[in-house]
Amino acid sequence: MKWSRAALAMVIAVPVIALLVRSMGNDPRIIRSTLVGRDAPPFELAVLESEVLQMQEGDTIRLSDYLGEVVVLNFWASWCGPCRIEHPALTAVADAYRARGVRFLGVLYQDQPESARRWLDQLGEVYPTVLDPASRVAIEYGVAGIPETYFIARDGRVAHKYFGPLSVDTLVTHLDALLAEPAPAAESMVGNP
Amino acid sequence: MTRELGYAAIAVAFTLALYGLVAAVAGVRRGRGDLVRSAELATYFNFGLLTVANLAMIHALVARDFSISYVAQVGSHATPLLITVISLWSALEGSILFWGWVLAGYTALAVYLNRVRISGSLVPYATAVMLGVGAFFYLLLLLPANPFQLVWPTPADGPGPNPLLQNHWLMAVHPPLLYLGYVGMTVPFAFAIGALLSGRLDETWIRATRRWTVVAWGFLSLAIMAGMWWSYEVLGWGGYWAWDPVENASFMPWLTATAFLHSIMVQERRGMLKVWNLSLVIATFLLTILGTFLTRSGIISSVHAFTQGTIGYYFLGFIAVVLAFSLAVLAGRSAELRAAGHLDAAASRETVFLVNNLLLTAFTFTVLLGTLFPLLADAVQGVQVSVGAPFFNRMTVPIMMALIFLMGVGPVLPWRRADPDELKRRFIVPAAAFMAVVAGSLIFGLRQPYTIVAFGFAAFALAANIGEFVAPALKRVRAHGEFILLALLRVVNANRRRYGGYVAHIGVLLMAAGIAASSTFKIERNVTLRQGEVLEFKGYRLRFDELWGREEPQRFVIGADIAISREGGSESILQPRLNLYGANQPITTPAVRSRPHEDVYVTLMAWSAEEGATPTVTIRAIVEPLLVWIWIGGLIVGLGALISLWPDRRRRRGAAQRPAGIADAEPVPVVVTGELAAAGASAGQVAVARERTRLGPESAGKGILP
Amino acid sequence: MIRASGRWLRRSPRSAPGALAILAALLMIASPVNAQAQAPEVVLDSVQEEQARALASELRCPVCQGMSIEDSPTELAVQMKNIIREQLAAGRSPDEVRQYFVDRYGQWVLLKPEASGFNLIVYVLPWAVLLGGGAVIVVGVRRWTRSAGGDDQPAASTPSGQ
């Protein structure tokens, strides 16, 4: 094998090694969302019954109800450990930012309503949760695991998708950025008619 | 105390390995036999040290010493003793500790067996390489993957090992087999580099390592089969191979090692393909390190993936260094490696082996490309894509078909040149087998082209391989009137290397038939049954009898009694179960009923047992024909490796049978080093000539491995 | 080694009422698959049934490790399969249904990358290697047999003894 052939082999091998180096730090569990930049898929779902929030069984919430406000859409379940970890952060920021025009909405993912009810009674509930029994909405949003959270801008488009448990800092950063965007004019807003 | 002992043992081993590496090289270059000897001693010491470290870890695990980081990670009071012991290799740090032990063992053994047998600088250089690889792994244990770190304050209990590992006895068997295979590939690699460094480029290094390669290959084959079997028995979807990145990682070095085992025969007989063989060995070793990297770096998601962290960078650095060094050494010896090859005829076993190597290499390339492509697409295009089973199946099945066909051609075609009339005679039975099976398949209503071809080729190849046993045995029966079985044994005994290979072929062909049948004719039903309800399915009656729960120290088990019976046959009970380990996802234990002609496979998917209501279960029932032949075939492959390895006791026979190729091969100018160089060039030639004879009958006789 | 039947498990004790209570309590945690979600409500003809199966084998289960939704027992996979069945029953073509999932999960959800653009590399390169290597062998064998020159005696044609 001549030196030229050895050099050729290195030329082929070096990019492979470079590729592997560059891929270090990948988290293979994160599948980037196709929704970012597009309109958030609309839905209308039954709400989880709640005394604290005065919601009865049979009430529904539509995503379009929140048009004009920033929405934090959080998919969770009572059997999910990291969801438990992020819950205090979500509650705290939800309270703090309500007045500034931010609405938090939980979507229950593959869970029994009774378990969710018990979990919320235990941990506190400051914003409503809707039920997604056949995971249709989860699939619409491309949910691949929980917790996953979508940040929806005032004009109804998905600004960001976050994987894993949220912290107060992350929430605040994203929300401040979205609130700083200019309020959309009425004609340019999208959503359910 | 245990913690300090374990860590200290590794630290000393690391230092000794570095010392030994330097001593071996210096000793050889300066003609200092004592330095070389001290390097040998270092390898023995290292084996002792790694044994101490591993025993220390096992002791800590059994004693539930949660002040040690690895025990805190995988230990638990609730875990039974046997599982506690095997959790040594259940997570990253422990697995590298175990790897270090196997490597130290192989190094010491390789040095011990070869230090006298082969004189010159080959073995010292090989020792240096093995110690260098060892030093890398000990370094990992000292820095990024330290299992002996202190945990303070000491936890009261631990989470126990991954539940997937606690569910089946095969988990005790698959990782050790895998390491014995994987790590075993280091030895041929070290001897190849040793040959390049020492200039000993004749068949010495191949002879010295052929048996090692067969041992490592044999273990790797069994390990892959054990992994498949474990997947089948645990994962619950009736499959056994998903082209998961880590499965691919274990498969690729197996492919290149298989290619190597074939192409060295061409080198032995014709003196050709030297650079190719060296490259194959180096590639096999690099693929084992790449495989380990993929599992441990966290860049690819997989069933197996351990943790992320900085350890990936260490592996990449190691790969880069090994690659650069190997290429440099290969290029440096390019002049001596050049040998004008010649073949007598295109229709010969040599050509078949060339095609075999091409197919296996292309196969390896395809699997590698598919495994790494998601990374490439993300890096270049920013798009996340998946490359899964549908891709691999589509791209590799044609190659597998061709390989099955070749397995029938190779044993029948002779070396050098085939006489056409003789050939026709010898291919009649295999060709007839092919046509009979194809016709039979069509008559039975089979229409899938790939399956028909697979069965046909498998029949062809099986007939050819079995014919290689039967024809000479029949000759013996006719000539000596021997009992047929005895004749067969004598035939195998006369040339174990060759017949071990044919037995391995037969094993692979049985696996191929089992895979083709079970995947093509797999039938599945998902159904919800109330207590007492019956499912009628492919001639079986499955009745849900009872749902039960059982508490065990480390888990809660939920199971269903499913009574299974055939028409008029007796009833037996299948018990598919779900195992709940703490907060983790439940692990299924399907119930498998294996018969030679088909497997019945029942998984418990869901249950419902409300107070006062009839319990119901949702089960998945699968019927897969000929599945058990995959495991039988795998074991036969292992048997073939064993036969091939068994040393020939009869020396004279061994010498006479040594292929004429050695004498035919062009004389390779040997670069004489070390003490041989000191003796002067002509004397060196004499020494080399003596080398050759000395290596002749003895090496064939005693065997490099016990 | 081959487990002939579940018989060796028979030693497990029969469930007492207490154990079933534990069982019931466990149901509150989570049955891995919702029993109700299993039964497909939509009825398809045999062509569509086959299309559904083929499509499910091509789509990757988002919560599993590289498994298709056809093989996966998870609830999400079952629900995705139900969506496939509903859409096929409603008259959509398999390509449209596939695109539905790609729109929501990205290219990643296909177990075999779409054969276009950059992805062609992974389909073409293996064949290129095979054909290229084949050419090298053909050229090599020709060269090597020609250079054999005087080696003309027919070899022993019975392989035994080699």
Side-chain angles (χ1 to χ4, degrees):
Chain A
M1 183 192 234
K2 300 189 270 267
W3 284 102
S4 58
R5 287 234 201 106
L8 178 66
M10 278 307 271
V11 161
I12 297 173
V14 164
V16 173
I17 296 182
L19 171 66
L20 296 173
V21 172
R22 188 219 169 271
S23 306
M24 289 292 295
N26 266 6
D27 186 347
R29 291 164 300 181
I30 293 180
I31 305 119
R32 294 189 295 270
S33 173
T34 54
L35 287 183
V36 174
R38 284 165 40 191
D39 303 329
F43 59 81
E44 176 172 356
L45 290 177
V47 91
L48 177 69
E49 191 180 348
S50 168
E51 266 181 47
V52 170
L53 301 175
Q54 289 164 342
M55 305 228 164
Q56 272 109 23
E57 204 174 331
D59 287 353
T60 63
I61 293 183
R62 287 197 296 252
L63 182 61
S64 54
D65 294 344
Y66 295 151
L67 201 54
E69 294 174 290
V70 174
V71 179
V72 179
L73 194 66
N74 173 260
F75 287 83
W76 67 279
S78 63
W79 45 264
C80 153
C83 303
R84 185 178 273 252
I85 293 174
E86 70 171 354
H87 190 74
L90 288 169
T91 334
V93 177
D95 276 336
Y97 275 68
R98 183 169 299 119
R100 297 175 60 177
V102 177
R103 305 292 284 263
F104 277 62
L105 184 63
V107 182
L108 193 63
Y109 173 81
Q110 292 182 4
D111 201 359
Q112 324 267 25
E114 304 82 43
S115 319
R117 185 68 263 151
R118 267 199 308 275
W119 194 90
L120 287 170
D121 287 340
Q122 202 182 24
L123 294 174
E125 182 182 12
V126 302
Y127 56 83
T129 292
V130 288
L131 304 173
D132 184 19
S135 300
R136 290 305 160 93
V137 173
I139 293 175
E140 279 288 322
Y141 276 77
V143 169
I146 51 173
E148 282 183 10
T149 310
Y150 293 79
F151 291 85
I152 301 173
R154 284 190 278 227
D155 57 4
R157 99 204 118 74
V158 175
H160 183 70
K161 175 176 175 179
Y162 189 85
F163 302 82
L166 280 160
S167 65
V168 171
D169 288 333
T170 320
L171 276 164
V172 162
T173 313
H174 284 296
L175 288 176
D176 285 344
L178 284 174
L179 287 169
E181 281 176 10
E187 311 88 59
S188 71
M189 292 206 286
V190 280
N192 267 346
Chain B
M1 170 56 192
T2 318
R3 195 178 64 82
E4 287 88 345
L5 180 65
Y7 192 78
I10 298 172
V12 174
F14 174 66
T15 320
L16 267 185
L18 286 178
Y19 164 75
L21 190 159
V22 171
V25 174
V28 148
R29 294 182 79 83
R30 293 181 200 194
R32 295 269 308 272
D34 57 330
L35 281 181
V36 173
R37 178 86 187 128
S38 74
E40 285 169 22
L41 290 173
T43 66
Y44 307 146
F45 266 119
N46 271 359
F47 177 56
L49 288 167
L50 262 294
T51 310
V52 165
N54 274 266
L55 285 176
M57 181 52 76
I58 292 179
H59 170 81
L61 282 167
V62 171
R64 269 64 168 208
D65 182 355
F66 293 110
S67 71
I68 298 181
S69 58
Y70 188 67
V71 181
Q73 196 185 335
V74 304
S76 162
H77 284 294
T79 315
L81 180 65
L82 181 61
I83 297 182
T84 303
V85 171
I86 71 174
S87 60
L88 173 65
W89 50 73
S90 67
L92 185 134
E93 292 84 355
S95 72
I96 301 208
L97 184 61
F98 186 62
W99 182 301
W101 179 72
V102 177
L103 180 57
Y106 270 132
T107 307
L109 191 60
V111 167
Y112 177 72
L113 290 172
N114 285 302
R115 72 198 190 292
V116 168
R117 202 161 300 288
I118 305 175
S119 73
S121 50
L122 174 61
V123 177
Y125 277 123
T127 311
V129 170
M130 286 188 278
L131 285 171
V133 174
F136 169 69
F137 280 94
Y138 307 150
L139 180 68
L140 289 181
L141 287 168
L142 292 175
L143 292 178
N146 183 359
F148 288 109
Q149 294 177 72
L150 178 67
V151 181
W152 186 258
T154 310
D157 201 351
N162 188 328
L164 275 175
L165 303 173
Q166 299 191 42
N167 242 39
H168 199 279
W169 63 271
L170 275 168
M171 251 312 120
V173 154
H174 166 65
L177 283 175
L178 190 69
Y179 285 114
L180 284 168
Y182 247 33
V183 180
M185 297 298 178
T186 312
V187 176
F189 168 72
F191 275 81
I193 300 290
L196 285 168
L197 287 173
S198 68
R200 225 26 198 301
L201 295 163
D202 58 7
E203 281 62 46
T204 315
W205 75 271
I206 285 193
R207 246 190 250 288
T209 58
R210 186 192 73 86
R211 283 203 161 91
W212 282 105
T213 312
V214 174
V215 167
W217 178 91
F219 278 127
L220 194 53
S221 310
L222 288 172
I224 293 174
M225 185 208 74
M228 289 166 69
W229 199 352
W230 176 84
S231 298
Y232 178 69
E233 297 250 335
V234 171
L235 293 182
W237 54 287
Y240 36 81
W241 187 263
W243 297 105
D244 177 87
V246 174
E247 289 174 330
N248 297 348
S250 70
F251 192 43
M252 288 188 283
W254 184 89
L255 289 170
T256 54
T258 306
F260 175 69
L261 287 175
H262 287 87
S263 63
I264 55 174
M265 288 193 246
V266 178
Q267 180 172 343
E268 282 171 345
R269 282 172 169 74
R270 311 310 306 246
M272 294 162 55
L273 301 182
K274 288 184 179 160
V275 173
W276 178 248
N277 283 323
L278 288 163
S279 309
L280 273 178
V281 170
I282 294 170
T284 308
F285 176 69
L286 281 172
L287 284 169
T288 62
I289 304 296
L290 180 68
T292 310
F293 162 76
L294 286 176
T295 330
R296 289 169 173 76
S297 63
I299 63 175
I300 291 187
S301 78
S302 138
V303 184
H304 271 86
F306 288 111
T307 72
Q308 298 170 277
T310 56
I311 197 171
Y313 291 110
Y314 284 83
F315 276 110
L316 284 177
F318 185 60
I319 291 176
V321 165
V322 169
L323 183 62
F325 181 69
S326 310
L327 285 175
V329 174
L330 258 181
R333 289 284 180 209
S334 59
E336 292 112 74
L337 289 168
R338 179 138 310 134
H342 39 243
L343 296 176
D344 287 9
S348 60
R349 199 179 284 178
E350 288 92 328
T351 314
V352 173
F353 280 18
L354 287 174
V355 178
N356 147 302
N357 263 241
L358 170 66
L359 288 170
L360 287 167
T361 310
F363 199 157
T364 311
F365 176 76
T366 309
V367 174
L368 184 62
L369 182 63
T371 307
L372 295 182
F373 189 72
L375 297 174
L376 183 64
D378 200 0
V380 169
Q381 292 215 303
V383 174
Q384 287 175 303
V385 298
S386 298
V387 178
F391 168 82
F392 288 105
N393 287 333
R394 164 119 81 95
M395 302 291 282
T396 64
V397 164
I399 300 180
M400 290 196 255
M401 299 280 153
L403 282 167
I404 294 176
F405 175 68
L406 277 187
M407 267 191 266
V409 175
V412 176
L413 271 184
W415 292 107
R416 294 174 170 267
R417 182 192 301 268
D419 170 40
D421 295 315
E422 178 72 22
L423 261 191
K424 276 190 212 136
R425 206 171 54 78
R426 309 194 73 249
F427 271 121
I428 283 183
V429 171
F434 172 78
M435 288 193 281
V437 167
V438 170
S441 309
L442 290 169
I443 291 173
F444 266 99
L446 239 65
R447 290 293 173 264
Q448 299 90 328
Y450 269 132
T451 316
I452 297 176
V453 169
F455 283 150
F457 280 168
F460 168 78
L462 272 170
N465 278 277
I466 293 176
E468 291 296 308
F469 288 86
V470 167
L474 284 177
K475 271 208 198 106
R476 288 185 76 103
V477 169
R478 256 176 262 135
H480 309 290
E482 265 176 356
F483 184 47
I484 179 75
L485 276 179
L486 193 59
L488 276 171
L489 280 173
R490 290 255 166 84
V491 165
V492 171
N493 204 31
N495 193 336
R496 294 176 209 184
R497 181 177 169 184
R498 188 155 148 248
Y499 283 98
Y502 293 165
V503 169
H505 279 177
I506 291 173
V508 173
L509 291 166
L510 289 174
M511 289 182 83
I515 292 173
S518 63
S519 42
T520 315
F521 304 114
K522 172 175 172 177
I523 301 205
E524 183 179 312
R525 285 273 284 278
N526 285 318
V527 70
T528 305
L529 293 173
R530 284 201 310 276
Q531 191 159 26
E533 264 193 287
V534 170
L535 166 69
E536 305 232 343
F537 176 51
K538 280 226 79 189
Y540 294 96
R541 296 184 81 245
L542 295 162
R543 188 184 68 238
F544 166 38
D545 278 350
E546 195 170 348
L547 181 68
W548 50 265
R550 175 177 82 222
E551 183 136 20
E552 286 179 9
Q554 77 279 28
R555 62 185 175 188
F556 190 88
V557 182
I558 298 177
D561 282 355
I562 311 278
I564 181 172
S565 59
R566 289 205 74 114
E567 275 299 317
S570 63
E571 215 176 61
S572 56
I573 304 279
L574 294 175
Q575 293 189 324
R577 297 170 294 162
L578 274 163
N579 304 280
L580 298 147
Y581 294 85
N584 296 310
Q585 276 279 59
I587 313 284
T588 56
T589 301
V592 183
R593 182 178 182 273
S594 295
R595 293 282 179 273
H597 65 291
E598 68 191 1
D599 270 32
V600 179
Y601 187 97
V602 180
T603 313
L604 178 61
M605 307 274 281
W607 71 87
S608 156
E610 320 272 318
E611 292 284 331
T614 336
T616 66
V617 289
T618 306
I619 59 169
R620 170 183 277 181
I622 307 177
V623 173
E624 292 184 81
L626 298 186
L627 192 128
V628 81
W629 291 97
I630 302 178
W631 322 131
I632 296 176
L635 291 171
I636 292 180
V637 170
L639 177 66
L642 195 60
I643 293 175
S644 159
L645 284 173
W646 213 260
D648 282 319
R649 252 168 279 120
R650 308 201 234 155
R651 300 184 190 194
R652 267 186 300 133
R653 201 80 188 276
Q657 276 194 344
R658 197 153 35 84
I662 297 301
D664 287 355
E666 286 189 280
V668 175
V670 172
V671 173
V672 167
T673 62
E675 61 264 36
L676 295 177
S682 56
Q685 294 282 37
V686 170
V688 167
R690 257 188 292 128
E691 274 314 63
R692 286 219 175 134
T693 11
R694 192 154 71 80
L695 279 174
E698 281 176 28
S699 65
K702 277 215 210 90
I704 303 298
L705 277 193
Chain C
M1 268 194 278
I2 299 168
R3 208 178 336 164
S5 73
R7 220 180 279 280
W8 67 275
L9 290 169
R10 270 209 125 140
R11 284 178 243 115
S12 64
R14 285 284 155 267
S15 60
L20 253 188
I22 303 177
L23 197 62
L26 277 168
L27 295 176
M28 298 305 179
I29 298 179
S31 169
V33 190
N34 193 337
Q36 288 80 30
Q38 283 295 338
E41 313 89 4
V42 183
V43 179
L44 299 175
D45 64 45
S46 63
V47 170
Q48 288 172 326
E49 197 68 57
E50 185 49 40
Q51 284 175 338
R53 228 192 38 77
L55 203 48
S57 302
E58 288 177 37
L59 292 174
R60 182 171 184 171
C61 162
V63 293
C64 317
Q65 297 287 4
M67 220 188 255
S68 69
I69 59 176
E70 175 65 24
D71 292 325
S72 168
T74 60
E75 196 165 342
L76 189 63
V78 171
Q79 285 157 345
M80 286 169 78
K81 274 191 281 196
N82 286 341
I83 291 180
I84 292 178
R85 300 176 70 90
E86 280 172 20
Q87 296 201 356
L88 285 176
R92 292 246 193 110
S93 74
D95 282 341
E96 286 172 335
V97 180
R98 188 182 303 121
Q99 193 57 39
Y100 174 87
F101 286 104
V102 172
D103 283 341
R104 281 145 189 81
Y105 283 95
Q107 288 274 318
W108 177 91
V109 80
L110 297 173
L111 279 171
K112 215 170 30 173
E114 254 167 36
S116 63
F118 188 74
N119 293 342
L120 285 171
I121 290 180
V122 81
Y123 288 102
V124 168
L125 222 46
W127 290 111
V129 163
L130 204 52
L131 291 172
V136 167
I137 288 185
V138 167
V139 165
V141 169
R142 282 225 195 103
R143 189 154 39 100
W144 288 324
T145 48
R146 232 177 292 132
S147 81
D151 209 344
D152 261 337
Q153 71 259 51
S157 47
T158 52
S160 60
Q162 296 238 354

